[in-house]
Amino acid sequence: MVQKIKPETASLILEGDPAGGKPLYLYLPEHKKFILVSEDIKALLEHPETGAPLEVSPLGISFLLQSGVIPTPRTVFKNLYVLNIGDRVEIREVSGRLEIQFSHRFPYFNAEREEDFIPDEDELLRLLAESTLQKLRPGAITYLFQSLGKDSNTIALALAEHGFRNLVCLTLSTGDRKDESERAAEIARRLGFKHQKLFVPQRLGPDHFRELEFFFENIPLPCVDGVSLAYPFYALQINFKGTNVLDGSGNDIYLGHVPRRVEFKRQKIYPRLSFLRPIADRLSTGNFLSPVTRTRSEMAGPFGFTFRDARRLFPQAYPVFPFWKEADQLRKGWDYFDLKADIWGPNLEFDLVMRKARNFAAVYGANLVFPWADRRVAEYAKRIPERFLFDRRKFSNKLLLRKILKERLGLDSDALGKFSYGFNAYGLLNSMKNRVTEEILDCSLWNPQEAEKILKKLEEGASKGKRLFRKLWVRLYLISAWHNHNQYVRR
């Protein structure tokens, strides 16, 4: 559903979903005679008054290149905005035109938790199950993307204890030391659910290339998370159209986003050197200064090309350092655990982790549900005292979920350690390197001569095992393939 707001609707305030499950998208055309609003980005893009295909925002591309994420309320398109957790917009009529003013307030400060509140595990599981079941398409098969992680398995446990049985758990099988599928299948069967392994092809053929192109053509917004490349291959194994799909993302912001120990130490030191950042941004990507001149906000996740290389690639590029510097000022004196949650949750979690799942569901016709990104679940969890959720000294997160899973499922997250998702985007793209090169060099966003030079540098660094260069090579491909094929892009 798309709502149309006209100038006669004065002094209207809209807010983003406090749990991030249903972001609100706004389209304000240049003439500012109306605003279109919807929770369904695809419906908004395809609305006749949006005028799609849309013009790409140079600022949006600048953020994707230099940070890997477009901070809300901006998007990759001009005149298209999004409200997520903590965001609000005031809409006013001025001389027959609509004017908008955005603001943001983080809603989950750890200091605002209720110290005397004792969490009820059964109540949390009940809320989680209900937040899932009330959003399902009745009678449709329900899939859960299951790993060995705490988030997806707590969802599975909640549904099992609530008596729900029509669930199939899906786990990527990589066939290496990162393979979680056997253990995940064992957990699923113990809970009474079916389990199915998902695979990424060892060799790519015409069907795979067609599916990738179809995927890029139809995703509503770009996503530079390399894991997004796995979804088209999943869709060749399962017909997701008309099904329910559950994803465990979305709870870090209110359960406590715990940084890595080394990150916590560095965020006390590196931002003091940010006065050297203008020098670092005039150097090539991978220089020794860039990592140590990041702002605190960038320590929470954003990274990418230097401004020098971003502008070489994309002559319309803006520097993003002033934005992140201002983000630090707005959060001056904040506890880093709060800052990390506020930068990561509404931005990186939203534009990377959850965006890839939203794109997948939009392309393949699935009803996507984020059980954790539910207002009632978030409101309950924000009351829970810090001591039940994370340990600042040990940098251990989600203590309550660890306890629940160990006692009720025998899943010991402490013993397992941290698993990263096993899909290797770089390895996949390296197997189709010629196509990757063609996509990047054919992209009209880039200066062709400079793109060739930068691509060569990325390839050389990637072949030497440099993680930054591998990630940026994948990122450049994802942006290029989206821009080359996407139906919503005006070229």
Side-chain angles (χ1 to χ4, degrees):
M1 176 183 171
V2 178
Q3 177 188 2
K4 187 174 183 178
I5 298 173
K6 297 182 178 180
E8 51 265 32
T9 309
S11 301
L12 179 65
I13 294 176
L14 301 176
E15 296 185 346
D17 184 337
K22 293 288 185 181
L24 202 58
Y25 298 92
L26 296 81
Y27 177 74
L28 175 65
E30 293 289 343
H31 56 66
K32 298 184 178 181
K33 298 290 186 176
F34 62 80
I35 293 177
L36 300 177
V37 180
S38 182
E39 293 178 347
D40 186 338
I41 178 59
K42 193 172 181 181
L44 186 60
L45 290 172
E46 295 176 356
H47 191 278
E49 292 184 280
T50 303
L54 300 180
E55 189 175 351
V56 168
S57 161
L59 184 60
I61 299 297
S62 300
F63 271 111
L64 287 179
L65 288 172
Q66 296 168 75
S67 300
V69 61
I70 305 174
T72 64
R74 307 155 192 81
T75 73
V76 77
F77 291 117
K78 286 184 177 180
N79 307 320
L80 182 68
Y81 305 93
V82 62
L83 300 179
N84 198 26
I85 301 170
D87 295 330
R88 71 190 312 235
V89 63
E90 184 177 352
I91 303 171
R92 292 181 293 178
E93 182 270 331
V94 179
S95 302
R97 291 156 62 91
L98 290 168
E99 299 293 337
I100 55 177
Q101 183 173 357
F102 293 100
S103 59
H104 176 83
R105 185 194 181 279
F106 180 56
Y108 300 110
F109 287 101
N110 288 308
E112 295 176 358
R113 298 183 180 276
E114 300 178 20
E115 280 304 309
D116 296 331
F117 182 71
I118 305 298
D120 183 325
E121 296 175 7
D122 291 324
E123 176 67 4
L124 178 61
L125 293 175
R126 182 187 68 81
L127 288 171
L128 194 58
E130 290 181 356
S131 82
T132 306
L133 297 175
Q134 66 189 10
K135 299 180 182 77
L136 298 184
R137 285 174 176 161
I141 190 169
T142 300
Y143 293 104
L144 168 68
F145 284 120
Q146 180 202 18
S147 65
L148 287 184
K150 297 173 282 294
D151 304 323
S152 60
N153 284 299
T154 304
I155 293 169
L157 176 64
L159 291 174
E161 294 199 354
H162 206 76
F164 184 74
R165 288 291 174 265
N166 187 25
L167 183 72
V168 179
C169 297
L170 304 175
T171 310
L172 173 66
S173 177
T174 56
D176 57 16
R177 63 182 180 82
K178 291 185 176 182
D179 197 328
E180 304 173 87
S181 61
E182 286 298 329
R183 184 71 187 276
E186 187 182 308
I187 293 168
R189 287 191 290 268
R190 191 183 311 162
L191 291 171
F193 300 134
K194 295 178 182 178
H195 184 274
Q196 182 172 338
K197 294 182 181 181
L198 295 170
F199 301 92
V200 174
Q202 297 298 310
R203 287 188 175 184
L204 300 181
D207 288 348
H208 303 117
F209 297 132
R210 279 193 295 269
E211 198 64 32
L212 279 172
E213 189 169 321
F214 174 79
F215 182 73
F216 284 115
E217 180 183 349
N218 290 287
I219 56 176
L221 293 171
C223 175
V224 298
D225 186 337
V227 176
S228 61
L229 291 169
Y231 288 95
F233 303 122
Y234 296 164
L236 288 172
Q237 298 165 61
I238 295 174
N239 181 5
F240 288 99
K241 187 174 180 60
T243 67
N244 299 302
V245 173
L246 311 182
D247 186 289
S249 306
N251 64 19
D252 285 327
I253 189 170
Y254 59 76
L255 287 183
H257 204 310
V258 178
R260 293 175 300 123
R261 187 186 301 271
V262 66
E263 175 189 333
F264 185 76
K265 291 179 179 178
R266 288 172 177 171
Q267 61 86 25
K268 296 179 179 181
I269 303 169
Y270 288 3
R272 297 177 186 176
L273 302 174
S274 62
F275 70 94
L276 295 172
R277 177 64 171 276
I279 298 175
D281 261 348
R282 288 198 292 269
L283 302 175
S284 62
T285 302
N287 71 78
F288 74 97
L289 268 182
S290 287
V292 300
T293 57
R294 287 174 291 172
T295 62
R296 289 183 88 210
S297 296
E298 288 172 301
M299 296 293 293
F303 75 95
F305 291 96
T306 61
F307 175 57
R308 173 182 180 269
D309 282 350
R311 190 167 56 178
R312 285 174 61 201
L313 262 173
F314 181 59
Q316 301 175 68
Y318 294 87
V320 301
F321 171 61
F323 170 84
W324 295 116
K325 186 177 180 181
E326 183 183 2
D328 271 15
Q329 285 300 311
L330 292 171
R331 297 164 180 83
K332 191 173 182 179
W334 279 31
D335 170 39
Y336 188 68
F337 283 66
D338 288 333
L339 184 147
K340 172 94 173 176
D342 192 29
I343 294 297
W344 179 273
N347 298 300
L348 286 96
E349 180 91 354
F350 165 68
D351 210 30
L352 291 171
V353 181
M354 299 171 82
R355 172 64 58 206
K356 66 178 184 284
R358 286 191 168 104
N359 279 346
F360 151 74
V363 172
Y364 295 106
N367 172 42
L368 179 65
V369 177
F370 293 105
W372 288 106
D374 178 84
R375 179 190 297 259
R376 291 190 305 154
V377 175
E379 286 295 325
Y380 185 85
K382 73 180 288 189
R383 301 175 63 193
I384 301 175
E386 182 179 306
R387 64 184 181 276
F388 291 102
L389 297 178
F390 58 91
D391 186 321
R392 290 175 181 265
R393 187 176 59 84
K394 296 180 179 179
F395 294 91
S396 183
N397 72 345
K398 300 178 183 175
L399 303 180
L400 184 60
L401 303 193
R402 292 172 188 264
K403 177 177 180 292
I404 291 172
L405 292 173
K406 186 173 183 179
E407 292 177 353
R408 304 193 188 201
L409 263 182
L411 179 61
D412 190 339
S413 299
D414 294 324
L416 280 173
K418 176 67 175 174
F419 269 77
S420 57
Y421 196 68
F423 176 71
N424 183 353
Y426 172 75
L428 174 81
L429 292 181
N430 203 38
S431 72
M432 48 180 272
K433 188 174 180 179
N434 289 340
R435 287 178 177 268
V436 172
T437 300
E438 288 175 11
E439 287 284 13
I440 293 173
L441 296 183
D442 286 347
C443 182
S444 61
L445 284 172
W446 318 133
N447 177 320
Q449 291 77 26
E450 295 297 333
E452 193 167 354
K453 294 175 186 174
I454 289 174
L455 180 58
K456 183 178 180 181
K457 179 180 178 179
L458 293 179
E459 289 174 343
E460 289 175 353
S463 67
K464 295 176 183 177
K466 295 182 179 180
R467 291 182 61 192
L468 174 64
F469 288 86
R470 289 187 173 190
K471 287 178 179 293
L472 293 182
W473 185 65
V474 172
R475 181 183 301 181
L476 198 55
Y477 166 76
L478 290 169
I479 300 171
S480 302
W482 162 77
H483 190 267
N484 290 345
H485 301 288
N486 194 256
Q487 63 172 307
Y488 304 115
V489 172
R490 186 184 303 167
R491 297 175 187 85

